[in-house]
Amino acid sequence: MTDDIIEQIKQNVIQGRMDKEDEGFDGGMVGQPGVKELVQQALDMGTDPRRMVTEGLTEAMSIVGERFEAKDYFIPDMLASAETVGEAMDILAPHLAKSGMATKGKVIMATVKGDLHDIGKNIVSIILKGAGYEVNDMGADVTPERIVAIVTEEKPDFIGLSALLTTTMMAMKETIESLAEAGLRDKVKVIIGGAPTSAEFAAEIGADGYGADAFQAVRVVEELKQRS
Amino acid sequence: MPREGVLVHRIYERLSKDQMERIHNASMEILTRPGIMCYNKEAADIFSSFGAKVNALPSSGCWQVSIPEALVLGALETTPKVVKLGARSEENSLILDGSEPRVYFASGSETNIWLDMRVESFVSKSDGSVEIKLATFHPRRGMLADLCAAARLGEHLDNLDGFIRPVNIQDEDITEENKDVNKFFACLNNMTKHIMAGLTSLDKLDEVVRMAELIAGGKEELRRNPLISFITCVFKSPLQLVDDTTQKCIEITRRGVPLVISSSPQGGSTAPIKEDGMVAQINAEILGGITLSQLVSPGASVIYGSVPTRAGLDDLADTYGVPEFNNYNIDCVQMARFYGLPCYSTAGVADVKVPGIQATVERLFSQIVIALCGAQYIHYAFGLLDKTATFCPVQAVVDDAHIGMVKSLLRAPKVDEVEVAASLEQIRQVMTTPNKLFVRYIRPKLRSGEVTLPYPFEGDKVTDDVFIRAHERMQELLKRPVEHIPPETSERIFREVPGLLPRLNTYREG
Ligand code: B1M
């Protein structure tokens, strides 16, 4: 039974099926339970949440990754799958904490002050969440003051900043300086991204890492985590 | 006399009348339910004072506005159906008439990367005596001097009818404070065609308008000959009226300068990927913006601006080279026409980062199709690569030639009694000659421009030297003089408009 439901979770993650309303790939799956319902059912059945993560979610995502590499899957597929994992992790988080399995880390995501472009940032948030991080997305046009306040309050491990305009790139620098002024700079790693930014720019403004795309963002976060 | 552009004889349409009505009704439904999320207080107040249902949503910091159809229809009544875009040389003016499919091509947009081209020689590894020349491309950050060069080049590109700054000026001494005045001056001083751009800082609006007034010869003259216009993308799709650009829209409308009200959703990420859903949404967004402009200032010259793209499958970035891009854009041109409004449309962008076969296919694909459906003002049509992130001036030179060919293609056929009689006479005449050739009859048609010239970048027919020849042509065009703003006016502008960089002053001593 347990194996069955974990397999079902896995298959639904691979299809990116969030819940029973989701039509699936061929449009014929409405009404059948999706990841949300299956995870809840599995918990009700007493299934070990750690097994759900390792054998269900993680295995599914590695298959999704392989299909993506092979160009069988495209970004919309990848995002849909990552979103189901994010949702599953939200449901499982309290249970995992009880069983001693912590999340991989907490990330605050924001598009910087003056900038409204948030599509790229949203993708990065979804993929990070799908990779097992707890993500708090603060939206767009987020001032350095708000970032300082949330870092003080939530003590995240990472801050991810996004900017799409050459005029707002400098707000990233401002944010990092504000963190330093508030004595918080060494408490949190800052990674940046967005079309006009670069690894050089990240170094120049004193960020800890740069991601050219969402997958690189995850890699950079993992590397920084290992180093710390 | 305004510029001719090309008057498309028989337009291509995708949507039937019924389908347009369906889209219109869907847009009206969208504007009432879910309505729009308005982040600008003044706009929310304006909508409310004209009877729209407005609910504050404090947790989201915005207002939910439900715009009734009657308000939109009323606004459409006061929206001008013909908009004149003036120019420093009035013969370069453009008349955008919603009921006439006269097509003009323009550049755009604010790319960060300027792509230089070099011609390099390569020697074959297998046969050292074989050497070929190839175009290589080199990206760098765009600068103010590049914008001046782009304007000079644009002045001499015969088929470029209107100019939108194609490169973002990223010099060390350009700040948010002085960007607007410098970018407008760089364009105005280096070309005599219409200049259109977005506004970086609202508080610089009056200075830019002042500059235009000085050039036009006063407030009234500028109204008569609006040699500049603005673009505001008031919506962040889906359906969020942005605080900053909405305020710009309100203020520009109040100044009476023509304004493109545009929206740029990406099918699949910020709008439905399905054609009907995408077009209903973008149409609702543009109409929402137009309605606001007319409530602020009835009769204000605004243009229906549609920039729908499709999300890419590999990165969800905006893509321009796919067929759906054309479908969405054609539908928008039709919707603008449905309301009798002139349309600012989009074509000519390549998704690939460098010029070449892919770029040519992607850009020509939309340039032909969107022109064919009679969009009045096609922006993005020159030199854009990498999904609008890169501008390549050599590519713009190639585009100019291709757009010339597109314009020829779309000219009305001359088939009437007189023409047919002349052709019959010609055929009879030739049949009486020993060699039976029509060659001599080419000459007058060549002189009148009815017969197009050979492909301007053709090489020796064995090698493809298009970019090398276009590069030579670009260098030659850049050497040609342009008519700058006269010294007295230039001097006044430098005296009265703060923030201009001295290096832009053509008449500066030394
Ligand atoms: C934390 O770690 C990380 C790590 C990786 C990170 C990361 C963070 N953040 C991003 N990444 C990376 O991973 C993501 C996934 O792979 C990637 O994210 P991206 O965001 O790069 O990619 C997305 C998946 C897809 N890309 C996008 O979504 C951006 C597409 C383009 C077309 C674009 C859009 C859609 C919009 N725009 Co704007 N817009 C353009 C863009 C042109 C372009 N082709 O880039 C650009 C950026 N815009 C521009 C402009 C000028 C403007 N825009 C404006 C408005 C808008 C819209 C609201 C209409 C809309 C945004 C909708 C939204 N919800 O975000 C205005 C500014 C508003 C503001 N204050 O922010 C306005 C000023 C236009 C005006 N005159 O009103 C240009 C900027 C030039 C400059 N000065 O730098 C521009 C390059 C277009 C152009 N060529 O003119 C990576 O960069």
Side-chain angles (χ1 to χ4, degrees), chain A residues 75 107-125 127-128 140-141 159-169 172 190-197 209-218 220-221, chain B residues 108-112 141 165-170 179 183 197-200 231-238 240 242 244-245 248 262-266 269-270 307 309 312 314-320 349 380 384-390:
Chain A
I75 274 278
V107 189
I108 300 283
M109 287 292 296
T111 298
V112 293
K113 184 178 80 175
D115 204 318
L116 298 169
H117 297 86
D118 60 4
I119 302 174
K121 184 262 302 163
N122 294 347
I123 294 175
V124 176
S125 295
I127 297 285
L128 274 169
D141 191 11
I159 294 179
L161 300 176
S162 180
L164 262 278
L165 298 170
T166 49
T167 41
T168 56
M169 280 161 72
M172 293 179 150
V190 180
I191 68 157
I192 66 157
T197 64
Y210 160 75
D213 57 33
F215 303 112
Q216 214 183 323
V218 175
V220 170
V221 166
Chain B
S109 181
E110 200 167 54
T111 66
N112 287 331
R141 277 191 182 281
R165 43 63 183 121
V167 62
N168 184 16
I169 47 178
Q170 297 158 82
K179 188 171 171 189
K183 87 181 171 213
L199 189 69
T200 306
I231 314 160
T232 56
C233 194
V234 286
F235 273 94
K236 172 170 160 175
S237 301
Q240 298 152 82
V242 169
D244 166 69
T245 37
K248 286 174 182 159
S262 74
S263 178
S264 184
Q266 297 177 17
S269 61
T270 54
V307 195
T309 66
D314 51 354
D315 54 5
L316 275 206
D318 43 329
T319 44
Y320 300 78
V349 185
Y380 277 179
L384 290 192
L385 296 153
D386 191 9
K387 311 162 180 182
T388 78
T390 296

